[in-house]
Amino acid sequence: MRSVKSFVAAAAASLLSSVAFAADMAIMAPPAYAPPAIEDFGGWYLRGDIGFSNQRVGRLNNVLDAGNTSSVQNLGFNTAGIFGVGVGYRFNNWFRADITGEYRGNSQFFGTDRITYPGGVGTDTYHATKSEWVVLANAYADLGTWWSITPFIGAGVGGARVSIANFTDQSIANNGGGALPGLAFGDNVSKWNFAWALHAGVAYRVTPNFTVELAYRYLDMGDGLTGDLRTFDGTNTIFNPTTFKNITSHDLKLGVRWDLDNPPLYASPLVRKG
């Protein structure tokens, strides 16, 4: 009986010693919760752009030029404003696409043409105004981000409505017996063409939802067209519109993008009650 009491006493003493030792140990805090990061996979955005154009035209053609032996043209446009809006989607960290519509303001056109033809030499002086509506579907590749700056490249296809207005052709022909002046007018004409573009630029992410872009764009808008040329008294005896061949533009644009669906930086922990 004595041995049983001794065993019980020893066990109790050991248990009390363990409890005392545990009480002396520092209580460790539970490990901090690290919420899982969410990949910034993209979302819808709106965009707006302003800029200016630097336009070119390859050549002016008219059916009346068929008998000329040579023609040396000097053609140009004044700079015009660009105003555009669009909606797009960013699929992931490097690929996005959008649809844009823009109005390109009136640009003054001027040109000269020295023509050599059988029996003489003539000079034509041209004036007109030109404007466009352009709709493009664009795709872009972002090339990486450093200090919130992202260079990008892209391409687009769509349509351009080219409008030529107030066209005049003042000609002076020298047939050997003196100068013969003439003045012809072309009615206003608007024409839809296939258009394509190449983009390059840099974007700066000001906030998670707001980005500013500075971009260059090469834009090919196809041909423009005037109405039939007629004299000041309305005389016109032949189908003779003037064609503006291969209108292109080197554009500089400043744009902004507003992200509509920016994801949070981390996922909130799941909390269950009850």
Side-chain angles (χ1 to χ4, degrees):
M1 190 69 176
R2 182 182 182 87
S3 60
V4 173
K5 291 182 178 180
S6 298
F7 175 77
V8 171
S14 177
L15 178 61
L16 290 175
S17 177
S18 299
V19 170
F21 179 75
D24 291 338
M25 293 180 62
I27 299 176
M28 297 182 63
Y33 175 76
I38 291 181
E39 182 183 0
D40 188 6
F41 60 89
W44 292 100
Y45 64 85
L46 299 177
R47 70 173 302 133
D49 298 274
I50 59 173
F52 61 88
S53 63
N54 183 15
Q55 304 179 76
R56 300 285 188 272
V57 59
R59 187 167 184 81
L60 297 192
N61 286 346
N62 191 284
V63 65
L64 300 181
D65 298 333
N68 299 336
T69 58
S70 69
S71 173
V72 179
Q73 298 183 348
N74 182 14
L75 313 172
F77 293 95
N78 287 338
T79 295
I82 300 171
F83 311 92
V85 294
V87 59
Y89 190 82
R90 183 164 50 86
F91 294 88
N92 50 42
N93 286 333
W94 66 272
F95 180 72
R96 56 189 170 88
D98 57 38
I99 296 176
T100 58
E102 68 181 42
Y103 173 70
R104 301 168 61 87
N106 279 332
S107 176
Q108 298 296 320
F109 169 76
F110 53 90
T112 59
D113 189 0
R114 180 175 173 83
I115 302 171
T116 301
Y117 55 90
V121 176
T123 301
D124 288 77
T125 302
Y126 307 112
H127 291 91
T129 57
K130 181 180 68 64
S131 62
E132 300 89 20
W133 288 95
V134 178
V135 178
L136 293 172
N138 308 284
Y140 310 89
D142 293 334
L143 305 179
T145 300
W146 298 268
W147 301 285
S148 298
I149 298 175
T150 304
F152 63 87
I153 57 175
V157 294
R161 184 178 184 266
V162 179
S163 299
I164 305 295
N166 306 315
F167 181 80
T168 62
D169 177 359
Q170 184 173 8
S171 61
I172 299 178
N174 189 336
N175 294 320
L180 302 176
L183 181 62
F185 303 86
D187 289 333
N188 302 348
V189 172
S190 296
K191 179 178 180 290
W192 277 100
N193 303 313
F194 173 77
W196 61 273
L198 298 175
H199 310 272
V202 293
Y204 179 73
R205 195 166 189 177
V206 181
T207 71
N209 292 83
F210 183 69
T211 302
V212 178
E213 289 183 2
L214 180 63
Y216 160 82
R217 179 182 65 186
Y218 176 81
L219 179 63
D220 188 311
M221 295 176 285
D223 300 341
L225 191 67
T226 73
D228 285 350
L229 299 190
R230 65 186 189 282
T231 60
F232 68 93
D233 61 358
T235 300
N236 177 37
T237 59
I238 190 173
F239 177 71
N240 63 342
T242 294
T243 302
F244 287 62
K245 296 292 294 182
N246 192 25
I247 299 171
T248 60
S249 185
H250 299 271
D251 300 333
L252 185 63
K253 301 193 304 172
L254 180 66
V256 293
R257 301 199 313 262
W258 295 272
D259 290 345
L260 302 180
D261 188 25
N262 190 66
L265 296 179
Y266 58 86
S268 301
L270 180 62
V271 177
R272 297 184 184 274
K273 295 184 178 180

